[in-house]
């Protein structure tokens, strides 16, 4: 669902923007999800991302997901 989708975007953003990924994820939530996740749901995604160890293969998969999303916009 939407939580998993935002989580996947968060994996990419965390790797690409290690200092500001949380702010970028919040911007993405507000701009692209209709309706945006509620604050409690968003916090759950953030907490899950804080615990997630990123691997190169995960980042590559999530870069591909973002590319596909951009093609559909």
């Amino acid at each position: 669902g939407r939580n998993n989708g935002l989580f996947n975007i968060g994996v990419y953003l965390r790797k690409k923007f290690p200092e500001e990924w949380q702010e970028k994820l919040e911007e993405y939530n507000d701009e692209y999800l209709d309706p945006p996740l509620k604050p409690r749901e968003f916090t759950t995604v953030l907490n899950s991302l804080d615990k997630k160890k990123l691997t190169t293969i995960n980042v590559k998969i999530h870069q591909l997901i973002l590319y596909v999303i951009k093609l559909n916009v």
Side-chain angles (χ1 to χ4, degrees):
R2 295 176 334 126
N3 291 26
N4 288 338
L6 195 62
F7 178 86
N8 290 332
I9 299 299
V11 170
Y12 169 76
L13 292 174
R14 194 178 117 175
K15 183 69 174 176
K16 181 82 174 170
F17 306 101
E19 299 299 319
E20 55 193 18
W21 67 269
Q22 293 173 324
E23 293 84 10
K24 291 191 176 289
L25 188 63
E26 187 169 8
E27 289 172 15
Y28 188 92
N29 180 52
D30 293 340
E31 289 183 33
Y32 297 105
L33 294 185
D34 187 24
L37 292 182
K38 294 178 183 178
R40 192 163 89 184
E41 291 176 298
F42 185 78
T43 300
T44 298
V45 172
L46 282 180
N47 290 340
S48 295
L49 285 162
D50 276 340
K51 297 174 187 173
K52 176 85 175 149
K53 289 193 175 200
L54 302 180
T55 64
T56 302
I57 190 69
N58 283 345
V59 171
K60 297 287 183 195
I61 289 169
H62 297 296
Q63 287 173 336
L64 178 60
I65 290 168
L66 283 179
Y67 177 74
V68 171
I69 290 170
K70 286 180 184 180
L71 290 178
N72 290 324
V73 172

